[in-house]
Amino acid sequence: MTSINQNYLELQGSYLFSEIAKRRTAFMSEHPNAEIISLGIGDVTRGLPEAVLKAMHGAVDELAAPGTFRGYGPEQGYDFLIQAIIENDYKARGIDIASNEVFVSDGSKCDVGNIQEIFSEDSVVAVQDPVYPVYVDTNVMAGRSGRFNPETKRYDNIVYLECTAENQFKPALPGRKVDLIYLCYPNNPTGMTLTKEELKAWVDYAKANNCLILFDSAYEAFIQEKDVPHSIYEIEGAKEVAIEFRSFSKTAGFTGVRCAYTVVPRELKGYDAAGSAVLINDLWNRRHTTKFNGVSYVTQRGAAAIYSPEGREQIASLVQYYMSNAAVIRDGLASLGLEVFGGVNAPYIWLKTPQGMDSWTFFDKLLSEANIVGTPGVGFGQSGQGYFRLTAFGSRENTEKAVERIRKLSL
Ligand code: MLT
């Protein structure tokens, strides 16, 4: 008999973005002439930066020649990329990260999804609500969530940290003992951020309560304001309590190319059943080398090129392009009297649905009346009910068109 992992049966519905794609496809098959504008999944639309392309072409040529051909590379990533990351993303901000603390991978989604594997099944997990669904679903799959309560629409054993307009989308510290805390800043989906002082409160809490922060900063490149931390390691002591996830997806147009990295400091300790300390870095290294064979050489050469002078310039203009889209959406919707959040230090705009509509009703209205696909806030958790997310990753033309279409709706 083939017994399945029973935990999978606790998963609710399909993955959010698959559900959205399904509804979009159904609508398109009924309305084949509709010109759909997609501001739903945060997928980039601009091409890869010139510097990246050039580096990738060069790397392809290297692979063609016997003297420079490469087969399996180091699972943790090539040193040229790791050094570029350390110098530019950390040293430049006064943070010391060693090369054996960086793990290059094929995406932050995989890393934030896989990291939980190295922690015990009875770890108590806290997530922000609304939340990037991967954090919750991967813990459900691992049997850490408890049962889904159809009344609260939440899992019994997961601690939800509510983020709503009432608390400026800044969650309170957990009210009960937790072991793992997922934090995402700049936040997906709300687009909101914490100041250094606010983030420090989380680091201090984690230190005082022996918990680990899983800090997803996939959107740090979009930060525009000064007091917003780019890395959790800007906070003193964070290397003792935090793992950080970074991605090239949104920054450099790598959503289809796939490259990211995770920093697991050597200071981080977990405890075995006998109470002895174990280095989390060693466990993640063991997992990574066992289950992953490294990102392709061509991809890593492309990623390293974003740290060259021309690469940096091109990335900056890419970010500015998307952040101008964010301003178009933010200002456009605010001028219609809608309550909008985010979009200042992040490529996501989070809006309160008009007339108290629930999130999916607003999704259907936007799709059918304006042919715009967005993301229903409730898809990110119960605290997202009555909210809606739009991304700034469309083309300028489509972004402006979308705002004009929304302007014509009776809201
Ligand atoms: C999103 O739309 O939230 C992101 O694109 C999802 C992801 O990066 O996996």
Side-chain angles (χ1 to χ4, degrees), residues 270-407:
Y271 295 87
D272 66 15
S276 306
V278 179
L279 291 193
I280 290 178
N281 179 289
D282 285 344
L283 295 187
W284 184 245
N285 189 49
R286 187 69 173 83
R287 190 233 168 250
H288 201 69
T289 48
T290 301
K291 293 196 174 184
F292 187 60
N293 250 342
V295 174
S296 81
Y297 176 69
V298 175
T299 298
Q300 293 191 61
R301 276 288 176 206
I306 76 161
Y307 297 106
S308 66
E310 55 288 10
R312 293 166 74 98
E313 230 169 75
Q314 291 159 14
I315 295 302
S317 84
L318 208 51
V319 166
Q320 281 324 308
Y321 180 89
Y322 292 131
M323 290 314 287
S324 302
N325 282 352
V328 167
I329 301 174
R330 233 187 107 87
D331 299 347
L333 299 189
S335 76
L336 300 177
L338 290 170
E339 241 187 296
V340 286
F341 307 92
V344 174
N345 294 300
Y348 294 123
I349 290 88
W350 187 244
L351 59 122
K352 190 115 193 63
T353 55
Q355 299 157 23
M357 242 177 268
D358 74 59
S359 301
W360 279 109
T361 304
F362 188 64
F363 174 91
D364 290 333
K365 183 177 172 71
L366 263 197
L367 181 57
S368 60
E369 295 176 23
N371 299 160
I372 296 169
V373 176
T375 309
V378 73
F380 297 101
Q382 278 314 290
S383 296
Q385 181 60 280
Y387 290 92
F388 201 77
R389 194 193 76 175
L390 293 172
T391 93
F393 288 124
S395 67
R396 178 67 41 76
E397 192 194 347
N398 275 350
T399 303
E400 285 170 351
K401 220 188 266 180
V403 171
E404 280 321 301
R405 288 188 193 174
I406 296 173
R407 200 180 291 285

Side-chain angles (χ1 to χ4, degrees), residues 105-163:
S105 77
D106 60 348
S108 281
K109 179 177 180 174
C110 317
D111 287 353
V112 297
N114 290 327
I115 195 80
Q116 48 75 30
E117 271 185 32
I118 62 171
F119 303 109
S120 77
E121 198 185 310
D122 58 6
S123 303
V124 179
V125 170
V127 295
Q128 292 171 271
D129 180 11
V131 63
Y132 180 45
V134 175
Y135 313 153
V136 173
D137 284 359
T138 52
N139 278 291
V140 174
M141 291 170 180
R144 251 176 234 113
S145 63
R147 303 299 299 269
F148 184 77
N149 180 333
E151 265 163 44
T152 59
K153 299 203 168 56
R154 286 174 165 176
Y155 290 95
D156 287 340
N157 297 348
I158 289 193
V159 175
Y160 294 86
L161 309 167
E162 294 190 359
C163 302

Side-chain angles (χ1 to χ4, degrees), residues 15 17 40-43 109 132-134 188 219 249-250 255 348 375 380 389 391:
Y15 181 62
F17 295 106
I41 189 163
D43 195 3
K109 179 177 180 174
Y132 180 45
V134 175
N188 178 16
Y219 299 94
S249 283
K250 317 293 157 85
T255 48
Y348 294 123
T375 309
F380 297 101
R389 194 193 76 175
T391 93

